[in-house]
Amino acid sequence: MNQIKMQVTINLMIKSETAHRAWATLRPVALCLLLGSVPALAHAQGAPAAQAPASGYSTSTSSSAVAGAQNELYNASGQNGAQPTQDSFHGSVVTGKATDGVLDLSLDDAIQRGLRQNLGLILQTSSQKSANGQRLEELQELLPTVRAATSIEVQQVNLASYGISFPGVPAIIGPFQVVDFRAFLTQNLVNVSALKNYLAAKHNFQGAKFTAEDARDLVALTVGNAYLLCIADAARIEAVTAELATSKVSLDQAVAAHDAGTSPKLDVLRAQVDYQNEQQTLISAKNSLEKDKLALARTIGLPLEQVFRLTDLVPFQALDHVDPETAFQQALKTRKDLKAYSEQVESAAASKKAAWAYQLPVARFSGDYGDIGTTPGHSHGTFTATGEVSAPVLQIAKTRGQEEVAGAQYEQARAKLSDQVQQVNQDVRDSLLDIQSAAKLVESTHSNVELANEALSEAQQRFHAGVSDNLPVSQAQSQTEQANDQYISALYQHNVAKLSLARALGVAQSNYKDYLGGK
């Protein structure tokens, strides 16, 4: 605690000229800090954000992009079956057991595992099966229904109990038996409402299929984001390790200068504080990596005790200029969630017609044929055939109410589709803006890293030559750490922005390699 107070006191005693030079060096870093914190991809209000790492570099923008995409899929899922929640895509179904040794995990391996075991995708697939089951139920109303029954009835009748008495006729008749083997057939000949209900269920099933395909894109985005975050953590550890080595050199210089009598004890204390701060930062960075690796394992269904290492680096690769309007037109053709919304509109339209058709007559045929007698060997065939036409007479309020409910659902479905088209347009343009901004940040922060390293080297040389104390060295080390943090953050944001563009275009699952590039 005394060392920390001494550090603060020394900082307060910096001359104005030194402070001016320090601000000139830190100014680009400060700008990067401001720019890097703008959550430009946060287009879904109320969506849960991913946990930010403890290392200090910004990931809020990319986390909002993933949460927004999850929210879109959640809204497009309809009402059938076991729906995935917005957090389901961060879970998985674990298969197998952890193996000995270290598992090499590439980005492609991680995404393929996620496409097999991610919980959100599994729930969405179950929802698709549920929608297909409802479609088959509605289809049965249009198909013949045949059932069979077999009965054996044994009776003994007391005629006296019914007040029946005839001379020469026994009061007790029986026991006697009747054996009946019979098949029953029912068929709706004309039922417009049943036909429209089937069409509505059919469109719901098609919408569920498109939503399940869209969920595969979201899995690629979620897993890719988790993998890129681990890469950023690993880069952060590498940078802090290098900074720790530099702090150790500065500490050794301060100790040597103090032992030689050319430097005060204050320089040694300041260097020790810097060195210990780097040690603490390294501990925090390693902890963040391990926690983010656990989150990645949860997303792709790896046992949490499985030890693995990342094999892909995904370095910076600039993306060629993409025209927003051209990209938007492409997204209109490839986004599966838009197709799912379109199917919901068609389903609502069919339901609206079904509600109106409930007032129409329904024609049915029913019949049965069987063999009846005292025993199977003493029986005879019998049948019944019935044709029926029924129509509602007085249910005006019910029919009108059903029409209004179905009409309101149809208008809601149309409004959601229209809004989703604009959401896709925004997704594309947001991603392109984030790519451009992140690319500029990568260039700026990379330059800052080079300048900060040069400034640190110059400060160390001046201290070693005895021209100045080690306060400029301490400041230069802090600037280098900030520059490295922002450079790592910019690389992460650029890669996730490109992955978000692939998601916005509806090609994240199939073309993510084209957007991330590199090994």
Side-chain angles (χ1 to χ4, degrees), residues 119-354:
L119 178 61
L121 185 56
I122 291 174
L123 294 181
Q124 191 57 57
T125 303
S126 298
S127 176
Q128 176 184 340
K129 293 179 180 178
S130 176
N132 188 41
Q134 293 185 2
R135 178 187 68 88
L136 294 176
E137 289 180 1
E138 296 295 341
L139 176 62
Q140 186 58 52
E141 294 296 320
L142 304 175
L143 300 177
T145 299
V146 179
R147 63 183 181 89
T150 300
S151 65
I152 300 177
E153 183 177 359
V154 180
Q155 290 188 356
Q156 187 176 55
V157 181
N158 184 358
L159 296 180
S161 65
Y162 294 97
I164 300 175
S165 177
F166 296 100
V169 177
I172 304 299
I173 300 177
F176 60 88
Q177 72 176 17
V178 178
V179 179
D180 190 2
F181 301 94
R182 191 160 303 278
F184 300 87
L185 169 67
T186 303
Q187 171 68 61
N188 284 324
L189 301 177
V190 179
N191 192 336
V192 179
S193 62
L195 175 61
K196 297 302 180 181
N197 283 332
Y198 166 71
L199 293 177
K202 181 180 178 181
H203 286 298
N204 275 336
F205 172 58
Q206 291 296 328
K209 289 176 61 178
F210 285 127
T211 303
E213 293 179 20
D214 187 59
R216 299 178 69 84
D217 258 13
L218 182 54
V219 169
L221 175 63
T222 305
V223 175
N225 175 70
Y227 195 96
L228 291 172
L229 187 57
C230 291
I231 292 177
D233 290 337
R236 169 67 174 155
I237 291 175
E238 183 178 352
V240 174
T241 301
E243 293 161 6
L244 181 63
T246 302
S247 295
K248 184 63 168 62
V249 171
S250 300
L251 176 59
D252 291 342
Q253 287 181 344
V255 171
H258 175 67
D259 292 342
T262 60
S263 178
K265 181 67 174 179
L266 179 60
D267 287 341
V268 176
L269 296 176
R270 187 187 295 120
Q272 286 178 334
V273 170
D274 291 339
Y275 182 71
Q276 291 176 1
N277 285 339
E278 293 298 340
Q279 288 180 319
Q280 296 169 11
T281 303
L282 182 60
I283 293 172
S284 177
K286 289 182 177 180
N287 182 62
S288 294
L289 174 60
E290 293 305 317
K291 292 176 65 175
D292 288 334
K293 288 175 70 176
L294 288 176
L296 174 60
R298 286 274 291 118
T299 303
I300 63 177
L302 271 181
L304 296 186
E305 60 271 18
Q306 176 66 60
V307 180
F308 66 91
R309 59 170 168 258
L310 310 179
T311 60
D312 287 346
L313 300 180
V314 192
F316 174 76
Q317 178 175 308
L319 185 68
D320 294 337
H321 176 72
V322 179
D323 179 64
E325 187 60 31
T326 302
F328 171 54
Q329 294 302 322
Q330 176 185 347
L332 291 179
K333 300 176 182 178
T334 54
R335 282 282 290 258
K336 299 300 188 296
D337 54 341
L338 282 182
K339 295 181 180 180
Y341 275 103
S342 297
E343 292 294 338
Q344 289 181 17
V345 172
E346 295 296 329
S347 175
S351 296
K352 182 179 179 181
K353 294 177 181 178

Side-chain angles (χ1 to χ4, degrees), residues 264-454:
K265 181 67 174 179
L266 179 60
D267 287 341
V268 176
L269 296 176
R270 187 187 295 120
Q272 286 178 334
V273 170
D274 291 339
Y275 182 71
Q276 291 176 1
N277 285 339
E278 293 298 340
Q279 288 180 319
Q280 296 169 11
T281 303
L282 182 60
I283 293 172
S284 177
K286 289 182 177 180
N287 182 62
S288 294
L289 174 60
E290 293 305 317
K291 292 176 65 175
D292 288 334
K293 288 175 70 176
L294 288 176
L296 174 60
R298 286 274 291 118
T299 303
I300 63 177
L302 271 181
L304 296 186
E305 60 271 18
Q306 176 66 60
V307 180
F308 66 91
R309 59 170 168 258
L310 310 179
T311 60
D312 287 346
L313 300 180
V314 192
F316 174 76
Q317 178 175 308
L319 185 68
D320 294 337
H321 176 72
V322 179
D323 179 64
E325 187 60 31
T326 302
F328 171 54
Q329 294 302 322
Q330 176 185 347
L332 291 179
K333 300 176 182 178
T334 54
R335 282 282 290 258
K336 299 300 188 296
D337 54 341
L338 282 182
K339 295 181 180 180
Y341 275 103
S342 297
E343 292 294 338
Q344 289 181 17
V345 172
E346 295 296 329
S347 175
S351 296
K352 182 179 179 181
K353 294 177 181 178
W356 176 84
Y358 277 121
Q359 60 191 324
L360 299 179
V362 175
R364 294 187 181 90
F365 168 80
S366 62
D368 65 81
Y369 180 84
D371 197 61
I372 188 171
T374 56
T375 64
H378 298 80
S379 59
H380 192 278
T382 60
F383 67 89
T384 302
T386 304
E388 177 187 2
V389 177
S390 61
V393 178
L394 288 176
Q395 58 174 28
I396 300 175
K398 179 180 179 180
T399 302
R400 182 65 179 273
Q402 290 175 334
E403 288 185 55
E404 290 191 5
V405 171
Q409 293 175 345
Y410 174 66
E411 293 300 325
Q412 291 175 3
R414 290 183 59 189
K416 289 180 180 179
L417 174 60
S418 177
D419 177 72
Q420 187 63 17
V421 170
Q422 295 305 311
Q423 182 63 64
V424 169
N425 194 358
Q426 181 181 347
D427 290 346
V428 171
R429 296 177 184 275
D430 280 351
S431 298
L432 291 174
L433 289 173
D434 287 329
I435 291 173
Q436 295 172 5
S437 174
K440 293 178 181 178
L441 281 176
V442 170
E443 180 180 358
S444 175
T445 54
H446 183 265
S447 176
N448 284 343
V449 170
E450 293 179 342
L451 292 174
N453 287 331
E454 184 178 352

Side-chain angles (χ1 to χ4, degrees), residues 436-516:
Q436 295 172 5
S437 174
K440 293 178 181 178
L441 281 176
V442 170
E443 180 180 358
S444 175
T445 54
H446 183 265
S447 176
N448 284 343
V449 170
E450 293 179 342
L451 292 174
N453 287 331
E454 184 178 352
L456 176 58
S457 177
E458 179 69 19
Q460 287 177 328
Q461 292 176 17
R462 289 174 58 85
F463 174 67
H464 183 67
V467 177
S468 67
D469 58 15
N470 73 339
L471 178 58
V473 175
S474 178
Q475 293 173 335
Q477 287 176 347
S478 176
Q479 294 170 14
T480 301
E481 182 177 353
Q482 291 177 336
N484 283 327
D485 284 349
Q486 291 306 305
Y487 179 61
I488 294 170
S489 176
L491 287 175
Y492 167 78
Q493 292 182 33
H494 186 260
N495 283 322
V496 175
K498 291 190 294 183
L499 193 59
S500 297
L501 176 61
R503 151 64 186 169
L505 296 178
V507 296
Q509 175 199 348
S510 57
N511 293 16
Y512 66 88
K513 292 181 181 178
D514 298 334
Y515 288 85
L516 292 180

